[in-house]
Amino acid sequence: MYELLKAEWREEPVKSLRKEGYVPGVVYGKGMDSVNFKVPSIAISKFLHHSGKVFEVEVAGRGKHLVSLDNVQWDHMGDKMLHVSFHKISATERTTITLPIHFVGEAAGKKEGGVVQHVLHEVEVTGLPGDMPEFISVDVSGLAIHDNFALRDIPCPKGLEWAHDVESNVVSCHPPKVEVVAEEETDVTAEVVAEVESDEQEAA
């Protein structure tokens, strides 16, 4: 039912692990001792890229845990994973998860020259782990110029409820910007010409 990430238990210093191509991590949660693990950097990058926010992690010799992705720490360049943390959850208890928003379709307002602005990129939802999708899909095809979709306008997946301010703006469409530079330049030129003609008349 859930995707499975296999990991190794770790006790080595994190610096040496990173040099060996591993990403250190930890599983923590209520009523349990934290479990430190390590995963090859390539393996965990691929796993997190295609998995949802809820999955299982099996740490060799330390058991299997149902978890949600809590945090990923990156280096200052944002391209190297330094550490991951997973929060242990229960399959029978409702929990709150942050899910990414995927926008689909082409806004009607964009076809008329409007500019679409994606305001909200992720949203918190509450429900059972088994009901959690990988992402929230938002169809923007009905979005017109001067229009916007608030979270209350977006259907929540079955079995879940928004744990976010439902009045939050999710996406909007603005009219195209009007180019007025040419008109301003024309006005300035006209003023300069008028001043020069006035000076010439006074000199005469």
Side-chain angles (χ1 to χ4, degrees), residues 90-141:
S90 170
T92 59
E93 294 182 5
R94 291 171 67 82
T95 186
T96 298
I97 303 292
T98 300
L99 297 177
I101 295 176
H102 288 191
F103 296 95
V104 297
E106 184 177 6
K110 183 177 181 180
K111 296 178 182 179
E112 299 175 358
V115 179
V116 176
Q117 181 180 11
H118 299 149
V119 182
L120 205 62
H121 297 278
E122 57 184 22
V123 62
E124 289 186 328
V125 296
T126 298
L128 293 175
D131 292 331
M132 295 290 178
E134 293 185 14
F135 54 85
I136 299 297
S137 180
V138 176
D139 185 358
V140 300
S141 57

Side-chain angles (χ1 to χ4, degrees), residues 34-72:
S34 298
V35 178
N36 296 322
F37 65 86
K38 61 182 180 180
V39 185
S41 58
I42 295 178
I44 195 168
S45 294
K46 289 182 178 180
F47 182 85
L48 294 181
H49 180 71
H50 69 73
S51 72
K53 289 294 187 75
V54 176
F55 49 89
E56 289 182 314
V57 56
E58 183 176 11
V59 182
R62 295 297 188 275
K64 185 186 297 184
H65 308 277
L66 178 63
V67 300
S68 63
L69 177 61
D70 177 57
N71 184 59
V72 178

